[in-house]
Amino acid sequence: MAARAFIVTVDLGPFMVDEGVVVGAAPTAAQQAVAAAIDEACRDHGFVQVTNFGVTAELRRRTFAAAEKLFAQPEAHKNECYRALRPETNTGYSGFGKEQLNRGRPADLKEAYNIRRPELAKNDFSGVPVGFEEEALELWRAMEVASRRYALACALALGLERDFFLRSLERFDLCTLRMLHYPPCKMPTPTRGVPAKTAIRVGEHTDFGAYTFLLLGDGAEGLQLKPVVGGEVGGASGGESDGWLDVAPEPLPEGQVGAFVNTGALLARWTNDTWRATAHRVIVPSAAVAAAHRYSIACFIDPDADFVVRVDPRFVRPGEALHYPPTTGLEYLMGRLKEAQENVGSPLLKEAQGV
């Protein structure tokens, strides 16, 4: 068993009320404390657990119930009636084994359903169970507010202008809410660890955008992180075997909802790796976990399509080179999506589906 990562729990409540930096005034003492905690975590491994971010226990319960019903439909219905996910729209259903986040492994042992901002008119909820659309869009609205407030916290944490990150989220045209289901699967041989050619639930990767909110379903185990310098791990970059830490939610009072937030590759680019892009994966640590369905919901916060992300010179030390060239939100996201959604057929995938 891997060692457990220390994840700080941060109350985002001071940024969810209209005062201090939220309204353009000086930050409150509570906002400064939150920002300092986020800064410390993001200079280390990049994971924090947030509470009081606008998602109630009831909304969480209803959304996960809707996701379970969505993925419980027959395979033929999901493949024929749900709108298939394509990189060009980044909405709809991605079937089991259709993605490969670590090119050195077989396909990921998961299926997913993507939703984007409704005002973009990109969503097509054809074939989904009754009530799914309403629940998904209610969660979307809550996460859009939370992600904008978190952008304010990040700017304060880094000593930047209040709207430094908000400027990249004017249209919210690349952000994605993703429902995830990991069906029961074969457990990797414990004595061999997780060798690079083994199929796991999610291969080693860093998220594509600025940051990600992650809600875990009840009993969801197997998430691991690895602090890295730069934005690559897995496949040709290696690093599959060593240095991984288990990630588990800290216990919270009954009725309180927590979510992990982790930094993505573009936030590392903005800050020239002052804040780390968090490498992570989902493994199958036990036979009991392998036999169970696993659910999670991720909200990926990406800069607007035409927004140029470049290293800010304030994060470049004298004599230090820029770690990254400029890119746009769309250019970077499309490249990573196409890479993950290429044909990933493998005989190891069928082997991993058995229990």
Side-chain angles (χ1 to χ4, degrees):
M1 179 178 294
R4 182 172 172 177
F6 173 73
I7 309 295
V8 66
T9 298
V10 175
D11 182 351
L12 201 60
F15 285 91
M16 301 303 293
V17 293
D18 293 336
E19 63 182 23
V21 70
V22 174
V23 295
T28 66
Q31 289 171 344
Q32 289 176 324
V34 169
I38 292 173
D39 182 48
E40 183 176 0
C42 291
R43 290 172 188 268
D44 182 12
H45 51 57
F47 258 77
V48 298
Q49 179 177 240
V50 297
T51 60
N52 295 320
F53 59 99
V55 174
T56 65
E58 175 60 16
L59 176 56
R60 177 192 176 278
R61 183 196 66 77
R62 287 190 281 107
T63 307
F64 272 104
E68 289 185 25
K69 187 178 294 185
L70 175 85
F71 292 118
Q73 301 305 306
E75 291 301 313
H77 180 86
K78 291 186 288 188
N79 290 319
E80 295 170 12
C81 300
Y82 292 173
R83 175 56 61 93
L85 178 68
R86 295 180 293 116
E88 291 75 17
T89 62
N90 200 25
T91 58
Y93 176 67
S94 178
F96 184 86
K98 296 294 186 183
E99 298 176 354
Q100 184 182 22
L101 286 175
N102 178 356
R103 300 183 302 281
R105 290 194 186 277
D108 298 336
L109 306 178
K110 70 177 190 295
E111 57 181 339
Y113 194 96
N114 286 12
I115 299 108
R116 291 172 61 193
R117 194 181 197 193
E119 289 83 356
L120 302 173
K122 300 290 186 181
N123 297 316
D124 182 342
F125 292 102
S126 298
V128 302
V130 174
F132 174 80
E133 178 179 355
E134 291 76 15
E135 301 294 356
L137 293 182
E138 184 176 350
L139 180 62
W140 170 271
R141 287 188 288 271
M143 295 311 303
E144 184 170 338
V145 173
S147 59
R148 291 184 189 277
R149 299 303 174 91
Y150 196 77
L152 292 171
C154 289
L156 180 60
L158 288 164
L160 300 170
E161 300 81 16
R162 170 186 176 275
D163 65 345
F164 184 88
F165 296 113
L166 279 179
R167 293 195 296 261
S168 72
L169 298 173
E170 290 183 358
R171 294 190 304 279
F172 242 68
D173 58 5
L174 293 183
C175 299
T176 307
L177 185 68
R178 165 163 266 213
M179 314 289 185
L180 290 150
H181 172 226
Y182 308 83
C185 62
K186 179 177 286 187
M187 176 186 167
T189 306
T191 56
R192 294 168 55 203
V194 191
K197 297 302 180 182
T198 301
I200 60 177
R201 281 179 160 166
V202 177
E204 296 82 357
H205 68 287
T206 55
D207 286 345
F208 309 158
Y211 46 88
T212 302
F213 282 77
L214 178 66
L215 289 85
L216 294 180
D218 295 338
E221 296 183 36
L223 179 62
Q224 294 186 320
L225 67 80
K226 182 178 183 177
V228 296
V229 177
E232 291 293 332
V233 68
S237 299
E240 286 91 353
S241 298
D242 302 319
W244 293 91
L245 304 173
D246 288 334
V247 179
E250 292 297 319
L252 297 173
E254 185 175 355
Q256 191 171 64
V257 177
F260 289 124
V261 185
N262 65 272
T263 53
L266 289 184
L267 199 50
R269 282 179 174 243
W270 256 311
T271 66
N272 214 37
D273 293 323
T274 299
W275 278 12
R276 297 183 179 223
T278 313
H280 51 286
R281 65 183 184 183
V282 180
I283 64 166
V284 184
S286 70
V289 171
H293 293 267
R294 183 186 191 274
Y295 297 90
S296 63
I297 301 173
C299 188
F300 299 102
I301 306 304
D302 293 84
D304 290 343
D306 60 357
F307 191 88
V308 178
V309 176
R310 56 170 52 92
V311 173
D312 188 283
R314 287 170 288 188
F315 297 106
V316 182
R317 300 180 183 88
E320 183 181 27
L322 301 184
H323 295 179
Y324 307 100
T327 188
T328 66
L330 182 61
E331 177 184 28
Y332 191 77
L333 179 63
M334 288 297 291
R336 294 289 299 268
L337 286 176
K338 288 179 178 178
E339 183 179 277
Q341 294 169 12
E342 290 174 348
N343 186 357
V344 291
S346 167
L348 291 176
L349 178 62
K350 291 186 179 295
E351 177 186 343
Q353 287 181 264
V355 292

